[in-house]
Amino acid sequence: MARSALLNVMVQAAMKAGRSLSRDFGEVQNLQVSLKGPSDYVSQADRKAEEIIHAELSRARPGYAFLMEERGAVDGEDDQHRWIVDPLDGTTNFLHGIPIFSISIALERQGQIVAGVIYNPAMDELYTAERGGGAFMNDRRLRVAGRTKLSDAVIGTGIPHLGRGHHGNYLVELRNVMGETAGVRRMGSAALDLAYVAAGRLDGFWEEPLAPWDTAAGILMVREAGGFVTDKKGGNDMFGTTTVVAGNEAIHRALLKTLKKPVTPR
Ligand code: IPD
Ligand code: CA
Ligand code: CA
């Protein structure tokens, strides 16, 4: 498959960081048995992957700004372009030796996401999308799933954990969604959740709070695969509200409605 020069740059950065993460993931599996566990090691792996991506992207496109999970915002001379990067999405899985994690890289041009790459090195699955050019997994073109009824749908989510999110509100949402769908999945990497919606593996997805680096590439991926992504109110402020709801047109609409319902005892 012929990719644009821009996607090639992004893919190269993601694959190089992916090789580094894969080596470290092997080591993490060995460290599981130690009392302290591999957490310092994982922080290092995360930072190393970010270094690699930063170096690769800065070399290929000098002057572009960055928003990276570890470094935060880095200004560039070019105020039209910004890379939005999560070098390791699914840290908890990585730490526990679960091979569901990813690298997420998006490019924003004048405030609009124009390209996205999500790579799961453990499964060697590479997701790419460019605005107007469709979404792909490796060389296969992606299309969101065709199911239109929530009762047939498998929906991804992120369950808030210790110190994160509003647990009471989330339980209300989960209760409503679990009562109306064929199943709910918690994969542990929001970027991959969105890639899975694009690939038709998940019929829909919702989560909050999520940062721009968790969702930027995935939002484009879903839209380029023919799907819908909004914030929880149905608007386009996913970064500002930190909320994301995704699916094909019918599932997205139904999910938005279900998430708004009060709890009804059943
Ligand atoms: C996390 C993952 C996870 C989501 C969390 C995110 P991290 O990112 O995307 O699926 O539920 O809220 O923070 O911390 O592994 O980069
Ligand atoms: Ca993340
Ligand atoms: Ca991360």
Side-chain angles (χ1 to χ4, degrees):
M1 193 189 75
R3 281 193 197 107
S4 69
L6 170 63
L7 274 182
N8 273 333
V9 162
M10 296 167 73
V11 166
Q12 211 177 316
M15 304 267 291
K16 192 164 177 192
R19 286 192 290 278
S20 171
L21 284 180
S22 289
R23 280 193 297 274
D24 288 334
F25 186 64
E27 190 54 31
V28 161
Q29 288 169 309
N30 297 332
L31 292 171
Q32 291 300 347
V33 287
S34 70
L35 189 61
K36 195 162 155 265
S39 61
D40 289 349
Y41 192 84
V42 170
S43 317
Q44 265 180 43
D46 197 350
R47 279 198 299 272
K48 221 191 304 170
E50 195 173 277
E51 286 297 318
I52 292 170
I53 296 166
H54 183 260
E56 287 287 310
L57 297 179
S58 320
R59 191 167 50 82
R61 296 288 187 276
Y64 284 17
F66 281 88
L67 176 64
M68 310 188 91
E69 182 168 18
E70 308 305 325
R71 287 179 188 223
V74 182
D75 287 342
E77 292 143 30
D78 179 336
D79 59 1
Q80 308 288 303
H81 291 95
R82 178 169 77 146
W83 299 111
I84 304 179
V85 178
D86 192 339
L88 171 56
D89 185 56
T91 322
T92 307
N93 283 347
F94 191 94
L95 181 64
H96 286 256
I98 300 169
I100 304 174
F101 56 89
S102 63
I103 291 153
S104 175
I105 304 176
L107 179 66
E108 204 182 55
R109 180 176 295 140
Q110 297 172 328
Q112 195 169 56
I113 307 158
V114 292
V117 167
I118 298 169
Y119 181 48
N120 176 350
M123 293 181 191
D124 197 25
E125 287 185 344
L126 176 71
Y127 298 84
T128 54
E130 202 162 0
R131 198 175 145 80
F136 295 82
M137 197 239 298
N138 298 337
D139 284 341
R140 186 166 65 83
R141 184 155 191 148
L142 299 181
R143 187 80 209 148
V144 289
R147 294 178 200 88
T148 53
K149 289 194 286 189
L150 267 191
S151 53
D152 297 328
V154 171
I155 305 294
T157 186
I159 302 176
H161 46 80
L162 186 66
R164 181 85 178 265
H166 193 301
H167 295 196
N169 290 354
Y170 179 77
L171 285 172
V172 173
E173 292 178 356
L174 179 63
R175 180 164 177 173
N176 286 331
V177 174
M178 63 197 256
E180 293 180 20
T181 57
V184 178
R185 298 287 182 273
R186 202 290 189 242
M187 313 294 296
S189 160
L192 277 183
D193 285 312
L194 288 164
Y196 280 19
V197 173
R201 290 176 174 173
L202 290 172
D203 298 286
F205 170 69
W206 94 99
E207 182 168 351
E208 82 172 282
L210 286 175
W213 47 78
D214 298 315
T215 58
I219 290 169
L220 182 68
M221 209 69 64
V222 172
R223 289 179 172 167
E224 286 297 322
F228 284 63
V229 186
T230 63
D231 59 42
K232 242 167 72 177
K233 288 187 180 151
N236 199 33
D237 190 17
M238 288 75 73
F239 291 178
T241 62
T242 74
T243 68
V244 170
V245 181
N248 68 23
E249 187 174 9
I251 297 293
H252 172 261
R253 193 185 322 113
L255 198 51
L256 273 180
K257 205 165 141 202
T258 298
L259 290 172
K260 283 194 193 115
K261 284 184 186 168
V263 208
T264 44
R266 331 192 161 86

